């Protein structure tokens, strides 16, 4: 079963678990399963149906935006990671 | 939320933000969280990766920076508790852009840098995004 690593600030919404096992054949399925298990995560990952611009999903070293986005297929033993891109401005 | 920052670490942030002026600078805050108190143990400067011509009002770091510092914090028995950046020539108050790119449970320290004959840090404030993403609330910043 694929596992997703949760960034530190969002572990407050996963019972402080750093890693969550998920079901799904694609990244989109896996994120839907993750946010079904932990609904409070969803508004911080998604804006409507779209991933927030500063939220990046990696499979190993690969950013899914350079693969097939939420349609990217995943394998049972894939290690996924949610990595924010910090940004600020005035 | 209370944020405890050592005077010497504050001076390091000030020096970095003055050096970055008139552009924005920033980095990560590593520390510990105990109840409603965040204690900053270290600050790690990260180069601004935004397009050069936009750096006067924008700051960004890469996902690789986040991953590296999150792993480093774990290895050091610390937590990635927040990040700091500067607002050149504007107040130490989060912008709409800050809010749109923010996470809750993460301390945002903003330093206002103004040119008062020479670039100077004039204000430092700490902020926390509400869980409903509606706005930031000011944290109490204690310099020790």
């Amino acid at each position: 079963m694929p596992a997703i690593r949760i960034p530190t600030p969002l572990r407050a919404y996963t019972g402080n678990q750093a890693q969550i096992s998920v079901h799904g054949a694609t990244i989109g399925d896996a994120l839907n399963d993750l946010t079904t298990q932990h609904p409070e995560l969803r508004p911080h990952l998604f804006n409507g149906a779209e991933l927030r611009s500063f939220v990046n999903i990696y499979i190993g070293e690969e950013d899914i935006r350079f693969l097939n986005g939420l349609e990217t297929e995943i394998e049972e033993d894939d290690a996924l990671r949610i990595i924010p891109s910090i940004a600020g401005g005035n | 939320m209370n944020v405890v920052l050592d005077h010497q670490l504050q001076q390091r942030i000030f020096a970095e933000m003055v050096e970055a002026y008139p552009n924005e600078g920033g980095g990560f805050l590593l520390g510990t969280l105990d109840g409603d108190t965040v204690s900053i143990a270290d600050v790690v400067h990260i180069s601004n990766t935004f397009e050069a011509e936009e750096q006067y009002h924008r700051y960004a770091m890469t996902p690789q920076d986040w991953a590296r510092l999150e792993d480093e914090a774990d290895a050091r028995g610390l937590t990635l508790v927040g990040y700091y950046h500067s607002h050149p020539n504007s107040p130490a108050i989060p912008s709409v852009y800050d809010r749109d790119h923010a996470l809750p449970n993460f301390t945002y320290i903003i330093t206002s840098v103004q040119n008062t004959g020479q670039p100077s840090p004039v204000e430092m404030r700490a902020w926390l995004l509400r869980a409903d993403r509606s706005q930031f609330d000011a944290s109490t910043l204690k310099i020790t």
Side-chain angles (χ1 to χ4, degrees):
Chain A
M1 191 181 296
I4 301 184
R5 185 160 181 202
I6 308 298
T8 313
L10 296 183
R11 293 177 194 169
Y13 306 126
T14 61
N16 281 324
Q17 294 178 83
Q19 197 132 302
I20 305 291
S21 295
V22 288
H23 293 280
T26 65
I27 291 287
D29 293 342
L31 291 175
N32 278 334
D33 186 41
L34 174 68
T35 55
T36 299
Q37 293 182 52
H38 302 284
E40 289 175 304
L41 283 174
R42 188 162 187 94
H44 306 297
L45 302 180
F46 288 93
N47 188 6
E50 301 290 322
L51 270 181
R52 289 188 177 276
S53 62
F54 69 93
V55 173
N56 309 285
I57 311 294
Y58 277 72
I59 303 177
E61 302 293 315
E62 301 245 46
D63 183 340
I64 64 157
R65 288 195 174 91
F66 298 103
L67 297 172
N68 201 20
L70 293 175
E71 301 303 316
T72 303
E73 294 184 359
I74 52 176
E75 306 287 340
E76 279 291 296
D77 58 352
D78 274 341
L80 314 179
R81 188 167 181 174
I82 300 169
I83 309 179
S85 295
I86 284 284
N90 65 81
Chain B
M1 183 67 78
N2 299 303
V3 178
V4 180
L5 178 66
D6 178 83
H7 174 75
Q8 289 188 334
L9 291 179
Q10 184 190 42
Q11 293 304 308
R12 264 175 56 190
I13 293 174
F14 282 165
E16 290 172 11
M17 301 303 92
V18 165
E19 187 175 349
Y21 187 91
N23 291 333
E24 294 200 7
F28 280 115
L29 306 169
L30 276 56
T32 56
L33 178 61
D34 183 12
D36 65 351
T37 298
V38 174
S39 299
I40 311 299
D42 200 3
V43 301
V44 180
H45 174 70
I46 303 289
S47 295
N48 189 350
T49 61
F50 222 97
E51 291 89 340
E53 63 272 19
E54 300 290 337
Q55 288 187 9
Y56 72 94
H57 72 147
R58 290 286 183 264
Y59 174 82
M61 52 177 85
T62 67
Q64 288 75 19
D65 290 325
W66 177 289
R68 180 170 55 86
L69 265 296
E70 194 168 58
D71 292 345
E72 179 182 325
D74 285 348
R76 293 172 62 182
L78 297 171
T79 301
L80 195 57
V81 291
Y83 110 105
Y84 61 96
H85 74 291
S86 59
H87 281 182
N89 304 316
S90 66
I93 296 172
S95 63
V96 171
Y97 187 88
D98 287 327
R99 192 190 68 196
D100 287 346
H101 294 78
L103 289 170
N105 312 306
F106 205 58
T107 291
Y108 289 75
I109 287 181
I110 302 176
T111 301
S112 173
V113 182
Q114 309 275 345
N115 191 344
T116 54
Q118 59 182 11
S120 303
V122 296
E123 186 181 31
M124 172 181 273
R125 298 184 72 182
W127 303 88
L128 199 66
L129 182 70
R130 287 189 186 181
D132 65 5
R133 307 189 62 83
S134 62
Q135 66 179 78
F136 280 91
D137 293 309
S139 298
T140 302
L141 181 60
K142 296 179 179 174
I143 306 301
T144 60

